[in-house]
Amino acid sequence: MKKLLASTFLAAGLYALAGSAQAAECGDVSIAEMNWASAGVAAQVDKFVLENGYGCTVTLVTGDTMPTFTSMNEKAEPDVAPEFWVNSVRTALDAAIAEGRLIQAAPLLSEGGVEGWWIPKFLADAHPDIKTVQDALKHPELFPAPEDASKGAVHNCPSGWNCQVSTANLYKATEAEKAGFTLVDTGSAAGLDGSIANAFEKKQGWLGYYWAPTAILGKYEMTKLSFGVEHNKAEWDACTAVPDCPAPKVNSYPVSDVYTVVTKAFSEKAGVAMDYMKTRQWDNGTVGKVLAWMGDNQGTNEDAAKYFLQTYPDMWTKWVAPDVAEKIKAAL
């Protein structure tokens, strides 16, 4: 028994030393809690994991794309931007990486940020011949317009958003009007979401623009249609994304690269936390379901982070060592 106790105390002592070492390596960490839902939840997941798994002291700071990038690039603050859509600052970020100020860690969204034209999955299952936008446009009767059921509807992106321009140009490029469709102005994000919810309640066809990861695609199963062509960046920049382009061509939406970005100083001072940042990533489907739960339960980013950690242990336990996972589970 003495031998057993001695071994136990030794193990406990080594464990405590290991924990102290981790805390010392990690120290204080500042994380940008961006002002959109998926990024906010990611920041709260990181906070919980780093505090309870690695003994870090985490401070969350309010963030948005450009202010956060500028602050990280010029002041090395905050330490981490968990969900950073890098295409918006690609050139400047490449320069910051080359000059040793910032590091691009793992892609947080394994599939990237996705945009496109979608239809309900129940409709796709019932009509397996519809694989592309062009296939859908052969069937205006399946996607009745809200104001004139004799026509099909393509639901546009909210007014004033960049995607409103690209959707209108792709509507023109695919000759949707000639196929018997009308372009529906949904007015706002709430209007667009409402049109999808209404279609599912009525088990009715719906065709239009949406993006992932989002709560709507976590709540309602949708199928993204192909445009039948690869993304053409030159065409996109010159025409697809340009208002009132006179002769748009069929094009595919780009996939946005979404990475975790950290400062070089952080990578050098927080080894254990950096290992985690190099590993963790989640898919759009999971993020969408977490966001849908948050909306249905009026939860905060922190609530949604705990829901994710409690509901998807098979995913996040692969991001950390087994002993770290046990400490996180114990804290939930």
Side-chain angles (χ1 to χ4, degrees):
M1 179 60 75
K2 283 183 179 178
K3 189 174 182 180
L4 176 60
L5 286 172
S7 299
T8 302
F9 287 134
L10 178 59
L14 291 173
Y15 190 84
L17 285 172
S20 298
Q22 285 183 345
E25 290 176 21
C26 183
D28 296 330
V29 180
S30 56
I31 297 177
E33 187 176 13
M34 300 297 207
N35 58 5
W36 60 90
S38 58
V41 176
Q44 290 284 354
V45 168
D46 286 349
K47 182 175 189 292
F48 197 94
V49 169
L50 294 181
E51 287 186 335
N52 296 287
Y54 296 101
C56 309
T57 301
V58 177
T59 302
L60 295 179
V61 296
T62 302
D64 201 347
T65 302
M66 289 312 298
T68 296
F69 174 76
T70 301
S71 181
M72 292 179 73
N73 193 26
E74 296 180 359
K75 301 177 182 176
E77 298 174 349
D79 294 306
V80 180
E83 184 184 306
F84 202 90
W85 293 56
V86 302
N87 289 358
S88 57
V89 293
R90 183 77 267 177
T91 302
L93 177 61
D94 286 345
I97 292 171
E99 293 164 14
R101 293 188 299 279
L102 299 177
I103 290 176
Q104 188 172 290
L108 178 65
L109 301 179
S110 57
E111 302 149 295
V114 178
E115 301 174 88
W117 287 16
W118 308 68
I119 63 174
K121 183 175 181 297
F122 65 78
L123 193 74
D125 291 342
H127 298 274
D129 57 311
I130 299 179
K131 302 291 187 188
T132 67
V133 167
Q134 291 82 352
D135 293 335
L137 294 177
K138 295 175 184 174
H139 298 282
E141 75 281 1
L142 295 178
F143 308 96
E147 302 296 332
D148 183 358
S150 67
K151 293 185 176 181
V154 175
H155 292 80
N156 204 342
C157 175
S159 300
W161 292 19
N162 291 341
C163 45
Q164 185 185 29
V165 173
S166 55
T167 304
N169 280 330
L170 290 170
Y171 173 84
K172 187 175 180 180
T174 54
E175 299 185 321
E177 184 173 6
K178 190 182 293 184
F181 281 75
T182 184
L183 185 62
V184 175
D185 180 5
T186 54
S188 66
L192 179 61
D193 291 358
S195 70
I196 294 173
N198 187 51
F200 272 78
E201 286 174 9
K202 295 180 178 177
K203 282 289 180 185
Q204 199 170 60
W206 185 96
L207 171 65
Y209 171 89
Y210 218 83
W211 72 101
T214 43
I216 281 289
L217 293 187
K219 186 171 185 176
Y220 301 110
E221 285 192 280
M222 303 276 277
T223 299
K224 188 163 81 72
L225 299 179
S226 166
F227 277 91
V229 296
E230 298 293 323
H231 172 63
N232 182 331
K233 187 176 186 307
E235 168 68 14
W236 187 273
D237 294 342
C239 179
T240 314
V242 176
D244 301 320
C245 178
K249 299 175 182 175
V250 177
N251 204 346
S252 289
Y253 286 85
V255 175
S256 297
D257 292 331
V258 183
Y259 282 79
T260 293
V261 174
V262 305
T263 63
K264 182 68 177 299
F266 168 79
S267 73
E268 293 173 344
K269 75 177 182 181
V272 292
M274 192 61 200
D275 290 343
Y276 162 74
M277 294 296 173
K278 289 178 181 174
T279 304
R280 64 103 175 76
Q281 60 177 235
W282 50 3
D283 60 275
N284 288 341
T286 300
V287 179
K289 289 174 183 174
V290 172
L291 297 180
W293 177 90
M294 185 166 71
D296 289 343
N297 293 277
Q298 298 183 326
T300 63
N301 290 339
E302 184 178 7
D303 296 333
K306 288 183 179 176
Y307 170 76
F308 165 74
L309 292 168
Q310 291 165 341
T311 309
Y312 297 95
D314 291 346
M315 178 178 291
W316 67 260
T317 54
K318 295 175 182 173
W319 303 343
V320 298
D323 62 319
V324 174
E326 290 306 312
K327 285 190 276 186
I328 295 167
K329 287 179 180 177
L332 286 170

